[in-house]
Amino acid sequence: MSEWIIQTKDLCKSYRGRLAVDHVNLNIARGEIYGFLGPNGAGKTTTIRMLLGLIKPTRGSVEIFGKSLKREKLHILRKIGSLVEYPSYYGHLTAVENLEAIRRILDVPKTRIAQVLETVGLTKDAKRPVKGFSLGMKQRLGIAAALLGEPEMLILDEPTNGLDPSGILEIRELIKAMPKQHGITVLVSSHLLSEVEQMASTVGIIRQGRMVFQDTIESLRRQSEGSISVAVSEPEEALLALLRMGFRGKLENGRIALERTDDQSVARIVKALVEQNHAVYRVEEKRKSLEELFLQIVGEGGGA
Amino acid sequence: MRSFLRLLSAERLKLAKSRFRWLLPASPLLAAVVGLLSNPPAGAPPRVEFAVVLSGMSFLHAMLLLPILTGILASVVCRYEHAGGGWKLLLSMPVTRPQLYAAKYALIALHLAAVQALFGALAAAVFYVRGFEGPLPWDMLLQSAAGGWIASLPLAALQLGVSLAWSSFAAPLAVNVVFTLPNILIVNSADVGPYYPWAQPLLAMVPRDGETFGALGLPLESLTVTVLGSFIVFLAGGLLYFQRKDI
Ligand SMILES: Nc1ncnc2c1ncn2[C@@H]1O[C@H](COP(=O)(O)OP(=O)(O)O)[C@@H](O)[C@H]1O
Ligand SMILES: [Mg+2]
């Protein structure tokens, strides 16, 4: 039995012959916060809409809680709370009335309304019509609505989009508390790594409809670990010598850039260069920031 | 069934807070004014005289205002979802699309029933206020009010389909008006009238023992076929569309 709460197999969605989502295999484990990353137009929202049954996949399958979404949709949706793209709300109703309309459908006790309003910090605005709410408040109301049915899984599509830094911080703290305090698994999408980096335990990176990375955030960090940059008197010759010794690297701005290398290897490199009478001016470790790595991953292959 | 009733109660909450509700009594009230002011031919038996008054009341109401109100109601029940992104909210909850469609349709039908009940009640009031002799012709009133309701149900199905498809509030209403206005000509035609869905509310509401001209006073059977046929086509079309729609 798989431990995945969400598992998609070769999920595809094409619009006018173009694949907006291209053979995506999502694997989301119980209790984690899964950061679903990708630049605008990468296919995050389209994937999420397929997870919620709002659109039908062109190909592939979705399993949630170990059950086929196609066959047990209502059963699955009962245990999922979601917020897709921008918050949905009824502007002419107050926050409480908005939640009451949803409560009637989900059939949960009335007391849940006060609880979720408390959770998202909207208690004192509960009786105001939602059309007067700021975007951040609407966003929090959307999360309150998603939490109303006591879901096991929360799917939030760019919940911090358009918010100011303090709003972003509030939502982030809210999301971080979900697995710990309520045992809820979270899928949160974003086009900025920095927004999910501090809360996600696993990240999936999607680019032009394709998953290009899916692993723990530690593994992503490890990949971002530095390259070694060596400045020498005759870079071409020196690089050739190093390549002949089996190291991997290339010339960058007249310096030798070597891929992730441990201490022993650096020692061997310096020794070899000195022995072959190269003057070694500088040996530097260049650390890519996680953001740079992310941009490199989503930028690979050109295009968007 | 339980989830349908829960959906219906959620839909009712949204509409209860809507200011469009105040449009509902307008047409029956206008019809009542017509009923109070009209001049039935003197000397006819009271039942026939009242039938003429009721015809007069039905004209503006059933020929134009009831079909248009049907379109407005259909737009209103979809309006809040279109405006606030409510479709993805509703459809990512554990409800099926046919259930949601049925709840919205039922809400339109219930409001139309309320309008027709008010029409019937006001027609009875006209009967007493104007002092017609004899017992209130219950059968005639009931047939008129209920007939108008049933004949507007296919239009409600079509308009719900159009309103689901178009996120604009005004576009479905324009479609509705475009199909309703020709009524003015079509009800005079015994050839086209019986088959034109938008003309059916009037044909159903004008009392059978009143005047007969054009398509008015035709046998109920032909109207039933048109109403039932268009109901099935419009409802199935709307539902099939909604079932496939990308949200
Ligand atoms: N209904 C649609 N019709 C045509 N193309 C669409 C539709 N929805 C999304 N797309 C395309 O699919 C791609 C992915 O979009 P989306 O999933 O919204 O990206 P993201 O949420 O990652 O920003 C985009 O190129 C977008 O233009
Ligand atoms: Mg998106």
Side-chain angles (χ1 to χ4, degrees):
Chain A
M1 212 199 89
S2 82
E3 271 303 297
W4 306 122
I5 274 216
I6 292 189
Q7 185 170 35
T8 70
K9 293 208 181 89
D10 292 326
L11 197 61
C12 296
K13 179 73 186 179
S14 73
Y15 287 114
R16 282 176 245 105
R18 224 193 102 243
L19 283 170
V21 171
D22 189 354
H23 295 85
V24 164
N25 296 297
L26 273 180
N27 292 312
I28 303 179
R30 181 177 294 276
E32 74 176 348
I33 296 181
Y34 185 102
F36 191 29
L37 288 165
N40 286 325
K44 302 181 296 293
T45 301
T46 307
T47 303
I48 286 174
R49 283 159 80 213
M50 287 192 278
L51 295 181
L52 295 169
L54 295 174
I55 52 175
K56 291 202 172 69
T58 308
R59 269 195 59 188
S61 64
V62 177
E63 269 189 23
I64 303 182
F65 307 124
K67 299 195 171 78
S68 154
L69 179 68
K70 212 161 147 192
R71 262 176 270 124
E72 308 200 37
K73 187 164 151 185
L74 295 196
H75 183 85
I76 289 168
L77 289 180
R78 179 62 191 81
K79 298 196 280 181
I80 295 184
S82 64
L83 180 63
V84 182
E85 235 168 358
Y86 46 90
S88 305
Y89 58 92
Y90 298 108
H92 68 304
L93 303 180
T94 67
V96 172
E97 287 162 351
N98 263 274
L99 294 172
E100 171 64 17
I102 297 163
R103 188 200 69 81
R104 288 185 184 184
I105 298 172
L106 295 177
D107 200 21
V108 291
K110 275 201 163 157
T111 49
R112 276 300 286 164
I113 293 181
Q115 285 171 11
V116 294
L117 282 171
E118 175 77 41
T119 304
V120 301
L122 279 178
T123 305
K124 67 181 193 334
D125 299 291
K127 298 253 155 64
R128 279 175 50 198
V130 172
K131 58 175 168 245
F133 277 21
S134 69
L135 180 62
M137 291 164 78
K138 284 175 184 160
Q139 208 75 272
R140 278 185 284 152
L141 178 64
I143 294 178
L147 290 172
L148 198 63
E150 300 189 85
E152 287 178 29
M153 169 96 215
L154 207 52
I155 296 181
L156 305 172
D157 186 18
E158 306 227 19
T160 51
N161 210 0
L163 299 189
D164 58 19
S166 75
I168 292 175
L169 197 72
E170 274 173 30
I171 302 260
R172 187 189 295 150
E173 291 309 309
L174 207 56
I175 293 171
K176 265 162 105 171
M178 289 300 150
K180 277 181 242 138
Q181 290 176 13
H182 310 277
I184 301 175
T185 308
V186 185
L187 166 62
V188 54
S189 81
S190 176
H191 60 279
L192 295 172
L193 175 68
S194 57
E195 270 178 15
V196 300
E197 183 191 344
Q198 293 155 55
M199 52 183 173
S201 39
T202 305
V203 288
I205 300 177
I206 186 171
R207 192 192 88 227
Q208 292 177 357
R210 283 198 209 116
M211 273 299 230
V212 287
F213 178 90
Q214 180 169 242
D215 209 334
T216 58
I217 192 101
E218 286 79 43
S219 154
L220 187 66
R221 286 218 174 88
R222 242 176 280 127
Q223 289 203 14
S224 80
E225 266 156 24
S227 63
I228 302 291
S229 165
V230 189
V232 290
S233 45
E234 294 93 17
E236 281 96 354
E237 285 167 42
L239 177 64
L240 229 64
L242 292 179
L243 292 177
R244 252 182 262 118
M245 289 171 67
F247 291 105
R248 298 205 294 158
K250 56 180 189 270
L251 276 189
E252 250 178 35
N253 309 325
R255 288 173 162 221
I256 298 169
L258 295 158
E259 280 175 22
R260 274 168 280 147
T261 316
D262 56 29
D263 290 350
Q264 279 77 28
S265 306
V266 176
R268 280 176 55 215
I269 287 166
V270 174
K271 187 159 177 272
L273 290 175
V274 171
E275 278 170 6
Q276 293 175 32
N277 293 321
H278 292 290
V280 178
Y281 304 135
R282 277 179 173 74
V283 179
E284 288 168 350
E285 180 166 17
K286 284 217 297 202
R287 276 185 169 272
K288 246 181 280 172
S289 74
L290 217 48
E291 197 66 43
E292 276 172 328
L293 178 68
F294 172 61
L295 288 176
Q296 187 196 324
I297 291 174
V298 300
E300 264 164 22
Chain B
M1 192 61 197
R2 280 199 55 210
S3 30
F4 166 76
L5 290 176
R6 291 203 302 261
L7 261 175
L8 191 61
S9 111
E11 289 296 315
R12 256 190 32 226
L13 173 73
K14 284 179 245 166
L15 214 57
K17 301 278 169 169
S18 161
R19 58 207 147 82
F20 289 94
R21 284 162 67 82
W22 302 108
L23 276 177
L24 295 178
S27 182
L29 285 171
L30 206 63
V33 173
V34 172
L36 290 174
L37 299 180
S38 67
N39 292 311
R47 190 182 159 92
V48 173
E49 252 185 70
F50 182 66
V52 174
V53 171
L54 191 56
S55 298
M57 288 179 69
S58 301
F59 248 91
L60 183 64
H61 172 67
M63 188 164 70
L64 294 175
L65 299 182
L66 182 60
I68 288 174
L69 189 65
T70 304
I72 294 178
L73 273 169
S75 284
V76 169
V77 299
C78 297
R79 173 188 157 85
Y80 298 108
E81 273 74 27
H82 284 317
W87 294 118
K88 36 180 212 215
L89 177 74
L90 285 175
L91 291 173
S92 51
M93 281 197 268
V95 297
T96 66
R97 294 187 186 199
Q99 278 169 355
L100 180 59
Y101 187 92
K104 297 231 177 249
Y105 187 75
L107 203 64
I108 302 171
L110 287 173
H111 280 83
L112 288 174
V115 170
Q116 289 301 91
L118 179 63
F119 179 91
L122 289 172
V126 167
F127 181 87
Y128 290 119
V129 169
R130 296 197 57 167
F132 285 102
E133 278 168 41
L136 180 74
W138 274 108
D139 54 333
M140 193 195 289
L141 274 183
L142 204 66
Q143 190 184 330
S144 174
W149 180 62
I150 292 169
S152 62
L153 292 180
L155 309 187
L158 176 74
Q159 284 304 130
L160 180 57
V162 175
S163 301
L164 288 169
W166 251 325
S167 57
S168 136
F169 184 70
L173 290 183
V175 168
N176 186 36
V177 171
V178 163
F179 282 109
T180 302
L181 283 182
N183 268 353
I184 298 167
L185 301 174
I186 285 171
V187 292
N188 291 316
S189 155
D191 294 331
V192 185
Y195 307 106
Y196 192 62
W198 285 264
Q200 302 313 307
L202 179 63
L203 303 188
M205 282 194 78
V206 167
R208 248 115 262 292
D209 38 2
E211 65 225 280
T212 51
F213 68 88
L216 296 173
L218 284 171
L220 268 179
E221 289 73 38
S222 77
L223 309 187
T224 312
V225 169
T226 304
V227 168
L228 204 64
S230 56
F231 177 72
I232 291 170
V233 170
F234 293 159
L235 196 73
L239 198 54
L240 273 177
Y241 165 77
F242 191 45
Q243 189 75 341
R244 283 145 190 265
K245 184 178 163 76
D246 278 359
I247 300 294

